[in-house]
């Protein structure tokens, strides 16, 4: 108890802080080695068309298979990779691996399929990003229209003009651009007009409660309408229940991604799913208008 610890309590606190700092340093140096040791893998989560029920694409999600810690989720290392700049080579590896994998699946007759890759702020700021993407497309032979780059609103906060020109240069390659976690960041309607975006991804915190919370339901319906009025595709992430799926279909959302259909899967399991032709039950036909 606190009373029993008395004046020694501080000594328990200080080493704990120290431990956190040490843990950070351990992870940082381990991250530095992880690429060389091929400890990173990509898992793939399907994205489905809500009308046809078919898998139309996938998002590549980074995992770190640490020899002692096991599978480490991105929430535990992306921020640190970002701070240290290690996200640049890690992100480049992820882009190349995801594009090569997607091309291989299409070559095996499992396509057409899009591949969505997350881009971090740090990567977005790199001067040679566009030529690096072009090189990956050339080397893997992936059709540029099959590559979708997921960006977050935070990328646009620093230098709007630079962001606009960077996005146009990326668009000129023929890739698709999507705004990830839409609605959670610095959402300004003006950038939606200025930026050459193709897709909005509704953040899962809004999707989570659409079946129960009238405000969240209204926000999601509004984002779908907004996207369509701007001629953008709209995809809901974090769909876990049939009630959420039904709501999204009724409001004309184009695509979904979420545990309801599948968690992110290692490549062999994802491929198996493609080969089995798994899909969502298609949307029930709308009732025919009654003739009077
Ligand atoms: P994100 O890009 O928004 O990815 C979606 C996250 O939601 C993934 O978490 C996915 O596993 C999770 N998710 C999908 N469906 C559901 C669902 O139905 N319910 C719940 N509760 N969660 C669901 P994950 O894989 O842990 O990735 C977290 C974040 O890490 C990603 O969020 C992305 O911001 C970042 N990340 C992942 N891979 C990369 C990468 O290669 N590069 C960069 N820069 N960031 C990455
Ligand atoms: Mg994403
Ligand atoms: Mg997201
Ligand atoms: Mg996110």
């Amino acid at each position: 108890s606190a009373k029993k610890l008395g004046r020694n309590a501080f000594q328990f606190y200080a080493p704990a802080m120290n431990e956190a700092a040490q843990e950070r340093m351990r992870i940082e140096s381990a991250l530095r080695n992880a690429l060389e040791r091929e400890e990173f893998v990509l898992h793939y989560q399907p994205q489905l068309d809500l009308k046809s029920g078919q898998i139309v694409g996938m998002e590549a999600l980074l995992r770190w298979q640490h020899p002692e810690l096991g599978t480490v989720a991105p929430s535990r290392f992306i921020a640190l990779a970002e701070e240290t700049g290690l996200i640049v080579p890690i992100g480049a590896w992820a882009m190349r691996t995801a594009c090569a994998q997607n091309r291989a699946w299409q070559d095996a007759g499992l396509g057409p399929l899009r591949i969505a890759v997350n881009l971090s702020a740090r990567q977005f700021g790199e001067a040679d990003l566009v030529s690096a993407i072009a090189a990956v497309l050339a080397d893997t032979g992936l059709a540029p229209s099959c590559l979708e780059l997921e960006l977050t609103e935070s990328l646009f906060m620093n230098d709007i003009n630079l962001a606009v020109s960077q996005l146009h240069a990326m668009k000129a390659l023929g890739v698709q651009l999507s705004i990830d976690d839409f609605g959670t960041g610095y959402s300004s309607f003006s950038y939606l007009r200025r930026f050459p975006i193709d897709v909005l991804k509704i953040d899962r915190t809004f999707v989570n409660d659409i079946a129960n919370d009238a405000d969240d339901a209204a926000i999601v319906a509004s984002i779908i309408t907004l996207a369509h009025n701007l001629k953008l595709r709209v995809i809901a992430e974090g769909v876990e229940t049939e009630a959420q799926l039904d709501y999204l279909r009724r409001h004309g959302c184009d695509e979904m991604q979420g545990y309801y259909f599948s968690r992110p899967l290692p490549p062999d399991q994802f491929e198996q799913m493609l080969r089995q032709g798994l899909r969502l039950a298609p949307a029930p036909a709308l009732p025919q208008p009654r003739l009077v």
Side-chain angles (χ1 to χ4, degrees):
S1 74
K3 198 176 169 197
K4 204 168 158 199
L5 290 172
R7 55 191 273 275
N8 284 333
F10 177 72
Q11 289 176 6
F12 285 86
Y13 181 66
M17 287 294 287
N18 218 337
E19 223 169 89
Q22 276 177 14
E23 161 86 359
R24 234 180 96 92
M25 282 173 58
R26 265 203 304 273
I27 295 185
E28 187 183 333
S29 75
L31 266 179
R32 284 188 196 284
N33 296 322
L35 261 181
E36 266 173 54
R37 296 182 186 162
E38 299 182 22
E39 291 173 2
F40 290 112
V41 291
L42 292 176
H43 285 190
Y44 297 92
Q45 188 177 35
Q47 302 180 325
L48 297 103
D49 183 278
L50 283 173
K51 285 208 185 85
S52 70
Q54 275 176 336
I55 298 173
V56 289
M58 69 203 72
E59 178 174 7
L61 293 157
L62 199 56
R63 301 288 180 265
W64 181 10
Q65 313 278 198
H66 190 279
E68 284 128 45
L69 300 173
T71 301
V72 186
S75 58
R76 289 179 61 198
F77 66 87
I78 291 276
L80 195 58
E82 179 89 11
E83 277 171 48
T84 53
L86 289 167
I87 193 67
V88 174
I90 296 171
W93 174 86
M95 169 113 48
R96 184 166 290 273
T97 304
C99 289
Q101 176 66 83
N102 185 278
R103 174 67 206 248
W105 281 332
Q106 299 207 51
D107 285 347
L110 299 169
L113 293 164
R114 279 193 320 263
I115 175 76
V117 177
N118 292 283
L119 272 194
S120 80
R122 195 71 174 246
Q123 285 173 282
F124 191 72
E126 290 284 295
D128 64 355
L129 175 67
V130 174
S131 58
I133 299 168
V136 167
L137 291 170
D139 295 348
T140 59
L142 185 71
S145 60
C146 290
L147 177 59
E148 188 169 298
L149 299 171
E150 297 195 359
L151 317 160
T152 54
E153 292 158 296
S154 61
L155 299 191
F156 312 143
M157 289 181 64
N158 297 332
D159 184 337
I160 297 274
N161 291 325
L162 191 70
V164 171
S165 66
Q166 182 86 313
L167 291 172
H168 278 285
M170 286 157 72
K171 262 321 281 181
L173 296 174
V175 303
Q176 302 191 48
L177 302 179
S178 86
I179 306 293
D180 202 354
D181 308 335
F182 183 75
T184 58
Y186 164 77
S187 303
S188 156
F189 291 116
S190 64
Y191 81 66
L192 290 176
R193 280 192 294 127
R194 287 190 64 190
F195 293 2
I197 295 158
D198 305 285
V199 186
L200 296 185
K201 284 192 87 172
I202 307 173
D203 190 69
R204 71 181 147 90
T205 54
F206 298 118
V207 174
N208 198 34
D209 251 357
I210 43 179
N212 310 308
D213 184 309
D215 290 341
D216 286 347
I219 289 169
V220 167
S222 303
I223 295 175
I224 295 169
T225 303
L226 173 71
H228 287 163
N229 287 344
L230 291 169
K231 312 251 183 321
L232 305 178
R233 189 150 53 80
V234 60
I235 170 160
E237 66 179 5
V239 179
E240 294 184 355
T241 69
E242 181 141 24
Q244 292 164 354
L245 178 72
D246 288 345
Y247 183 90
L248 293 163
R249 274 182 161 155
R250 272 188 283 118
H251 288 82
C253 188
D254 301 305
E255 294 174 20
M256 75 81 112
Q257 177 181 344
Y259 296 173
Y260 177 75
F261 186 79
S262 172
R263 287 180 180 259
L265 299 173
D268 55 331
Q269 286 178 39
F270 190 91
E271 179 170 331
Q272 212 178 337
M273 187 173 65
L274 289 175
R275 290 193 183 280
Q276 288 169 345
L278 291 187
R279 41 136 92 203
L280 276 175
L286 291 170
Q288 292 299 309
R290 259 177 29 159
L291 298 173
V292 231

